[in-house]
Amino acid sequence: VRKSGRNHEWTHLFNADVISMPDKWEYPWYAAWDLAFHCVPLALVDAEFAKEQLALMVREWYMHPNGQIPAYEWAFGDVNPPVHAWAAWHVHQLDGGTDRAFLVRIFTKLMFNFSWWLNRKDADGNNVFEGGFLGLDNISVYDRSQPLPAGFSLKQADATGWMAMFALNMTIMCLELAAEQSDYEDVAIQCYMQFLAIANTIAGHSGASNISLWDDQDGFFKDLL
């Protein structure tokens, strides 16, 4: 077993499935977050296939045991925006909002990914997150997937924003499930509390941290090194 090199930690992964790839110039390369976006319009044509595609990326032979969703073949361990929950909810709605079994299945597996983000990408536990390719990645000043020098950490506005949306997406799905099964109410509250914690922190309103990503001069949230 290889102990180093790209993707060496993904020994469980077994990709042998039909995956939608609308971009023929990249075929057969796939990216999990691109696929999530693609599945929303795809649901207008074939909702069952769209749901299967979303479920595929969180199956046990794709998702890492620690809860990370594989990014793409080049580097499965890279970090992409957590848009799977957003896509799952929209596909569920486009399909009529009646497939509870799909919603339960995808929500349960996404809780693993949600926990991975909370435990792996919030290094200091202050609700400000970091990641790799998180939008406009081709014009980044430096590769944010690479380790920083000793003593440095990066708090990203975009990663934290994506994570806030992830928390809201999980809350919405949970409330839908709670309509028929009250056990989901506690989980919905916890997901929403996570959103509030993120919002308070990046605005500098959290007593647990003095970190604020808000720039008063420019009126914009910015990364903090």
Side-chain angles (χ1 to χ4, degrees):
V1 178
R2 294 182 65 188
K3 300 296 184 181
S4 62
R6 192 173 69 246
N7 297 328
H8 74 277
E9 295 180 342
W10 292 76
T11 56
H12 74 288
L13 190 137
F14 182 74
N15 285 182
D17 302 275
V18 174
I19 301 175
S20 175
M21 173 39 68
D23 299 328
K24 64 181 181 180
W25 66 277
E26 288 186 321
Y27 182 85
W29 188 93
Y30 74 85
W33 75 302
D34 293 65
L35 180 64
F37 281 121
H38 296 161
C39 282
V40 176
L42 186 59
L44 297 171
V45 181
D46 190 337
E48 289 303 316
F49 183 66
K51 288 186 288 186
E52 289 173 5
Q53 292 287 285
L54 289 172
L56 186 62
M57 289 294 153
V58 294
R59 291 301 302 268
E60 57 273 19
W61 58 86
Y62 277 78
M63 177 180 276
H64 196 281
N66 64 21
Q68 185 178 9
I69 294 175
Y72 33 72
E73 291 98 326
W74 174 253
F76 293 122
D78 266 0
V79 182
N80 287 161
V83 295
H84 229 72
W86 173 88
W89 174 249
H90 280 279
V91 168
H92 174 70
Q93 292 295 96
L94 289 169
D95 189 38
T98 59
D99 192 348
R100 181 180 173 85
F102 165 73
L103 200 60
V104 170
R105 179 186 183 193
I106 201 78
F107 176 83
T108 302
K109 294 305 291 288
L110 284 173
M111 280 300 293
F112 286 97
N113 186 238
F114 190 60
S115 297
W116 178 83
W117 270 90
L118 294 177
N119 295 321
R120 293 295 187 96
K121 306 312 292 182
D122 178 16
D124 301 320
N126 54 25
N127 301 302
V128 181
F129 297 83
E130 59 186 299
F133 283 9
L134 295 167
L136 297 180
D137 50 89
N138 292 328
I139 62 171
S140 180
V141 175
Y142 59 92
D143 187 350
R144 299 185 297 181
S145 296
Q146 297 302 314
L148 292 168
F152 286 84
S153 63
L154 180 65
K155 312 302 181 185
Q156 288 179 242
D158 52 356
T160 306
W162 285 117
M163 193 57 191
M165 188 185 80
F166 192 5
L168 287 179
N169 296 148
M170 295 296 279
T171 302
I172 292 171
M173 288 195 289
C174 215
L175 289 172
E176 178 78 2
L177 294 172
E180 294 185 19
Q181 190 173 343
S182 61
D183 292 345
Y184 283 97
E185 291 178 3
D186 291 347
V187 186
I189 292 171
Q190 188 167 355
C191 289
Y192 188 60
M193 287 179 65
Q194 186 63 52
F195 165 74
L196 293 178
I198 294 171
N200 283 329
T201 298
I202 63 173
H205 299 152
S206 174
S209 170
N210 59 0
I211 291 178
S212 174
L213 302 183
W214 180 255
D215 187 308
D216 280 327
Q217 182 175 348
D218 291 343
F220 206 75
F221 288 100
K222 294 182 177 180
D223 294 353
L224 179 66
L225 183 63

